[in-house]
Structures are given as C-alpha cells and as structure tokens.
Amino acid sequence: MFAIIEFKILNVNGDVKFRESGEKINCEYSGKFCEGDKIVIKTSDEEYLAVKLDKTLKESIVFLPNKLMEYEIPYGALMAGYDEKAFSGENHVFSVYEPSNDEIYGERNIALNSHDLSGQKGVYPHAHANLVTRNEPCFFERNAIDGVCENKSHGNFPHHSWAAGAREDLEYYIDFGTFVEVEKIVFFLRADFPHDTYWKNVDVEFSDGERLTASFEETADGQSLVPDKPKITKTIHLTNFKQAVYPFSWAALSQIEVYGKYIKEDLSKMEIRCASNPKDVKHYTTERLREEFHISKLFTKDNIRMVYSHIDRIITAGLMPIYHELKLEGGKELASDYFLERREMGCINIGGKGIITVDGKEYEMNPRDGIYIGKGNKEIVFKCVDTANPPKFYVSSCPAHKEYPTVKIDITKAKKVPCGSVADCNKRVINQYIHPEVIKSCQLAMGLTQLEEGSNWNTMPSHTHDRRMEVYLYLDMDDNDAVFHMMGEPNETRHIIMHNEEAVISPSWSIHSGVGTKNYSFIWAMCGENQEFDDMDHIETRDLR
C-alpha cells in the first residue's frame, strides 16, 4: 500500500516515544502522557486528513497545506477545555486517515475542528480572537468550534466557550486555510441567564470584505444567518459586537457552526501564465510575484499538473501516477489532436520506479532517469511500478519544428560538468541530459544540478541569457529547508521562497540564482533562440542591486 501518513509521539525533548506509519493509522499506544508530549503527523501526499486523537474528541477533517500537523497534548490548566478523561490513563487509541472526496468536499459543518489549538498555525479550520477572558483555557477560541455545545452554564468543560470579558471591542475569526463555500452559519450563544447577557447583533465579514449582520434573541437555541446566495470566502470574521443590555455584562459564544463545503482545487486543468514586463515586475508584491512565476503542487496523487507559460511557450508539468495510468493529451489549449503534435518534451523521474510508454514501447524509469521524446509521438502514458514508492515524472515541453528520436538518458549517461568550489559555497555537478553534446533536440535543453554537502549557492555569479528562458525545479530538500531563489533585473532583484519540489519560471531578462539553507538539487529546463549553454551575460556580484 502507499504509505502516506507518518504518526509519531514525541516527548518534551523531541525523543520518539511511539511511531506508526501507513496509508491509514488505526493504532493503540500504551503509556502515560507527560507535560510537553506532542503528536506529529506528516502526510507525503494529501492535504486533508480525518483525525481523532482521543476517544473524547470528535473526529475532524483538517486541512494541512504544509502536510504537517503538530498537536501538543493538553496538560494541566489547559485541560479546562477538555473532558477530564481526555488523554488520561495508559491506553490511547488514534485514528488518522485520508477521507474520501465526498467527505472532504461534501456539505457539512466546515468549522468543526475539535483538534484546534490556541496559537496553532498550519492546521485548519482554526479559530483566533483579539481577546480571551483572563487568558483562561475554558474561554479559548477553539472551544467554539470543537463540536461540544452545553451552553446553559459557564466554566470548564463541557460548559466551556469563547469569552472575552464584558466588552464590545471584540474580533473573532475562523480561518479555513483555503476557499470554502458558506451556505449557513449557526450561532449558539452562551445562555447562562441571568449570569449572562447576550449580543443583540454581530457583523459577519467575509474575506472579500462583504458584511452581513446576524441578529440574536435571548435563547439557548441555535440562531442562523443565511446569505442570499452561498458566499465564497477563506475566513469568517465576527466584529461590531453589540450587547442587548447596558451597562456591559458577560456574553459569550458556546459554538459556531458553518455549513457549506470546501472548494476542490482543479489541478488537472492546464494553467496559463502570460509573459511579463520587467518594468511591471519591479512593482509586484510577494503574492503577485509568486502568482506569476512560482509553481506549486506539481505532484499530487494520480494527477497531471500542467502550467503553460507564454514565455517561449514552455510547458512545465508534474505527474504522479499511483493507482491509475496517466496520459498526456492534446486539446484546446494546444489546438492539437495529441500532445506532441508540434512539440518535444523531456522528462526526469525524481520519485520511485515507473514506466513511460511511447507509442506502445515501454521505457523503465528508475530514480533520476531521464528521457527525450520527440515531435510526432502520439501516445505518451505514465504508470507506477510500486504504489508504496510512486514515481514523480517532471516534464518540460516546448514547440518543435523537426522530429528527433526518443532517447532514454539515465544519470550515468548524462554529461557531467563539475563546477564551483567549496570556498565559494557552490561546489556542484551539472548533469546535462538533453544537450547538443548528449542527444539531438530542436530547442529544449534539460539537466540536473546537484550541490555537494556544505554548498548552498547555485548559478553564482549570476547571469541572464536574453535568447533563452529557464525553469528551475528545486528538490532534495527536507521539510524545513528552503531556497531563496533570486530573480529580476540585475539592478532590481527580487526573491521567491522555494520549498521542496516546487518550480519557478525565469524570463530571459531575469537573473536566476539561489541560496539554500543547506545543499539541494535542481532541474533546469531551457528553450528559446538557441541551445548554446554558454550563451549568457554574466553579472558581477558587486553590480547586483
């Protein structure tokens, strides 16, 4: 089976107390939890997991954009927001699995997350607020999205709530981490009357800035806000709280339920990127820069992720077949009957063993094997050999005017060009796969550069080449590593943070260089006016701005 989940229990020193891995975690741990213990869950593929880390907690579907969840076991005073039996004793059962698409994207209470933690980042949905009464755990923000609603009293579990004192300057947020569609919001106000008062109304603001007003009565029942039409949003922001009576008294939120669905991102559709002008790029924000040049989520299960750039019309694609074969197709975007009708392509496998079939002929693709497939080949199919270690096929394709034969190039057949030095922190080997001195192609050039341990700079001193554009794929990086990819005109440099197996488009007018937190590798692919590897304009480091 394809092991996508790694489950660990760590003590306060980071030592592993328990470990389990597999496609589905359904395990028991015998032992007491101690202060500082935490559960760490990593997934190699999926961004959504269904988790239940204690018998007293409701199962929750969580969104993990970084494919990582760290859950610190509540201890001591933090237990005020949990059942007294939670995480107690010496026998603990855990369930973590990949939910179905119907479970992820179906209509449900998308605010529910009994595993939310105060101050937690990277696990959604997540609740946070500007104020918490005396910073006491029985009033933490998470209490209002944990699925427990005993709202006719106040205090510790099960009467916990989000409370922020007798005041109106309150801000409460639910962050979904990505776009969702909201159809209805149900509020359960804390109804410990007459100790409590209640809010007469609250404004609900969505991430597009639109506001609706929810009006309430003095009741323990759920009270609903239904937009005229479903709202697309990343967040829900409660603001402009107005109490029903004055002077100020106590009011709180026991539970908020948001009914709707997470919106599935369609990565199967070819994404089109336009060419960019350097005069405009110098004004881009970080978000805008990434939107134009950064490519993420290249390798998702049984999917083809494809980005078409108008810069020399290069296509960058990632394919990760596991349970299904994947086939490159033509279509409207290419105005072709088949993918390579007017194109050529190169591919390097950065995952486990796979097979590429070109018009009926199979090519075994081991890790780091490359292949050139020329114009005119009609059927290109990718498949997996071992689902526990699936291949990751990285593809670059550009227009071609002539047919050249298909050639497999494993890494031993690539031309090796050592360069750099330890003293300059850039000692590396350039493996030229698709290159005039290795095989013939129309305009595509492609290779793999590997930095040695202790080196972290690539392509430095930097350069531009006005006659060719380039795409980099960074790889061989750990979860917490990054490369600062440098781009822009030499006197107007910018940077984009790159993580493992992410790509970046470099226009011909831009430098392309980078420095990492440790050594790494990168695949480069070029196309344009010529294939002369040395046709570049070097820039002295002292001249960079």
Side-chain angles (χ1 to χ4, degrees):
M1 300 296 287
F2 176 46
I4 64 166
I5 302 169
E6 181 183 358
F7 180 95
K8 292 188 293 187
I9 300 175
L10 307 180
N11 66 15
V12 68
N13 298 317
D15 301 321
V16 178
K17 299 174 63 173
F18 178 82
R19 177 186 279 115
E20 186 78 18
S21 63
E23 187 171 344
K24 182 175 182 179
I25 303 297
N26 193 352
C27 60
E28 295 184 21
Y29 165 64
S30 297
K32 288 185 176 181
F33 284 119
C34 302
E35 186 172 6
D37 284 356
K38 68 178 178 180
I39 294 171
V40 178
I41 301 169
K42 292 183 180 180
T43 169
S44 59
D45 182 33
E46 295 301 322
E47 294 181 322
Y48 293 90
L49 290 177
V51 298
K52 184 176 175 64
L53 302 184
D54 187 81
K55 61 185 178 183
T56 66
L57 298 179
K58 292 182 180 292
E59 182 178 271
S60 306
I61 294 176
V62 294
F63 172 55
L64 309 174
N66 299 320
K67 302 177 185 178
L68 172 68
M69 176 177 181
E70 295 189 356
Y71 184 83
E72 188 168 341
I73 305 297
Y75 196 87
L78 291 175
M79 289 299 298
Y82 298 84
D83 189 304
E84 62 181 8
K85 296 179 181 179
F87 303 102
S88 63
E90 296 189 1
N91 294 301
H92 308 277
V93 178
F94 310 104
S95 172
V96 184
Y97 65 92
E98 174 194 343
S100 68
N101 279 348
D102 287 343
E103 291 174 297
I104 296 170
Y105 302 111
E107 293 185 5
R108 56 187 174 89
N109 174 16
I110 55 176
L112 174 63
N113 183 5
S114 65
H115 298 75
D116 191 29
L117 296 176
S118 182
Q120 186 181 53
K121 295 181 179 179
V123 180
Y124 303 96
H126 172 59
H128 60 99
N130 65 332
L131 292 167
V132 168
T133 300
R134 297 184 297 272
N135 204 33
E136 293 180 7
C138 64
F139 301 125
F140 277 177
E141 306 97 311
R142 65 160 299 278
N143 300 335
I145 62 169
D146 70 349
V148 178
C149 187
E150 296 288 342
N151 64 338
K152 293 185 179 180
S153 185
H154 73 278
N156 292 349
F157 185 95
H159 305 295
H160 55 310
S161 60
W162 169 65
R167 51 199 303 169
E168 291 184 331
D169 57 339
L170 308 179
E171 309 287 338
Y172 183 89
Y173 300 83
I174 299 176
D175 189 345
F176 299 102
T178 187
F179 284 107
V180 298
E181 183 178 276
V182 175
E183 296 182 351
K184 179 174 69 173
I185 305 172
V186 182
F187 302 84
F188 290 87
L189 305 185
R190 199 176 69 193
D192 187 11
F193 308 124
H195 174 276
D196 288 342
T197 183
Y198 65 98
W199 297 300
K200 183 171 62 175
N201 49 61
V202 172
D203 283 352
V204 179
E205 184 177 60
F206 301 96
S207 56
D208 64 359
E210 182 183 354
R211 284 191 181 190
L212 301 176
T213 299
S215 299
F216 304 127
E217 297 178 354
E218 186 178 349
T219 178
D221 297 335
Q223 303 181 71
S224 299
L225 173 67
V226 181
D228 291 337
K229 60 181 180 178
K231 283 295 302 179
I232 306 299
T233 188
K234 282 187 173 181
T235 58
I236 285 178
H237 173 204
L238 307 185
T239 186
N240 197 26
F241 288 74
K242 296 299 181 183
Q243 286 199 3
V245 296
Y246 295 92
F248 289 143
S249 186
W250 303 99
L253 180 65
S254 288
Q255 202 70 194
I256 178 171
E257 298 172 348
V258 181
Y259 290 94
K261 58 187 177 182
Y262 270 73
I263 298 174
K264 186 176 183 179
E265 185 178 8
D266 186 5
L267 295 175
S268 63
K269 186 177 180 180
M270 184 183 291
E271 181 183 348
I272 308 297
R273 306 270 183 103
C274 294
S276 53
N277 189 310
K279 294 179 181 179
D280 297 329
V281 172
K282 68 175 64 179
H283 302 294
Y284 284 1
T285 63
T286 298
E287 182 178 2
R288 184 81 174 87
L289 201 68
R290 293 176 70 84
E291 182 183 354
E292 288 295 325
F293 302 110
H294 178 258
I295 303 174
S296 63
K297 299 181 180 179
L298 271 166
F299 304 101
T300 58
K301 183 173 68 176
D302 291 323
N303 188 57
I304 301 175
R305 163 82 160 129
M306 197 172 292
V307 176
Y308 181 111
S309 173
H310 282 287
I311 304 173
D312 285 321
R313 305 204 177 268
I314 194 168
I315 291 177
T316 300
L319 303 90
M320 190 169 72
I322 300 176
Y323 302 113
H324 304 284
E325 295 182 354
L326 300 175
K327 182 180 178 180
L328 289 180
E329 305 275 8
K332 180 180 178 181
E333 292 86 359
L334 301 180
S336 65
D337 293 329
Y338 54 96
F339 188 76
L340 294 183
E341 185 174 350
R342 296 183 300 274
R343 289 184 158 269
E344 61 185 352
M345 62 170 275
C347 174
I348 297 176
N349 177 21
I350 66 170
K353 185 176 180 179
I355 293 173
I356 299 178
T357 303
V358 182
D359 283 348
K361 183 176 180 179
E362 288 191 350
Y363 295 86
E364 288 190 357
M365 299 291 292
N366 291 306
R368 298 300 194 264
D369 279 357
I371 191 171
Y372 169 80
I373 305 174
K375 172 182 176 289
N377 289 285
K378 293 184 177 180
E379 188 174 66
I380 318 296
V381 181
F382 302 77
K383 64 182 179 180
C384 178
V385 172
D386 179 6
T387 58
N389 186 22
K392 295 180 179 179
F393 296 111
Y394 178 68
V395 169
S396 293
S397 172
C398 57
H401 60 276
K402 183 178 180 180
E403 296 178 0
Y404 285 107
T406 298
V407 180
K408 178 185 171 183
I409 319 109
D410 65 48
I411 194 167
T412 63
K413 295 178 182 177
K415 180 183 177 182
K416 294 184 172 10
V417 183
C419 56
S421 68
V422 173
D424 291 329
C425 301
N426 65 357
K427 189 174 183 181
R428 60 200 189 276
V429 175
I430 301 174
N431 297 278
Q432 296 173 338
Y433 285 72
I434 301 172
H435 184 274
E437 296 183 33
V438 182
I439 64 165
K440 289 184 177 181
S441 65
C442 287
Q443 62 165 320
L444 179 66
M446 194 172 183
L448 169 69
T449 298
Q450 297 169 304
L451 276 69
E452 294 194 6
E453 186 174 355
S455 289
N456 52 8
W457 278 99
N458 75 67
T459 324
M460 181 58 74
S462 60
H463 61 261
T464 60
H465 30 66
D466 279 340
R467 289 148 294 280
R468 297 193 309 279
M469 64 84 66
E470 196 158 5
V471 178
Y472 278 8
L473 172 78
Y474 287 99
L475 64 150
D476 295 337
M477 298 159 60
D478 292 331
D479 290 340
N480 203 36
D481 288 327
V483 172
F484 289 72
H485 178 83
M486 312 299 175
M487 64 167 299
E489 294 179 290
N491 62 345
E492 283 281 355
T493 58
R494 301 289 186 269
H495 75 266
I496 295 179
I497 301 294
M498 306 295 300
H499 294 289
N500 194 43
E501 298 177 359
E502 295 180 342
V504 61
I505 299 169
S506 178
S508 56
W509 49 262
S510 173
I511 66 167
H512 38 282
S513 180
V515 59
T517 52
K518 60 180 295 189
N519 64 310
Y520 51 92
S521 304
F522 65 98
I523 294 174
W524 44 268
M526 296 185 289
C527 64
E529 195 69 28
N530 63 40
Q531 293 179 307
E532 300 299 323
F533 196 79
D534 294 330
D535 179 15
M536 58 185 72
D537 299 309
H538 292 279
I539 296 118
E540 296 290 343
T541 303
R542 63 174 172 266
D543 293 331
L544 293 173
R545 296 290 185 269

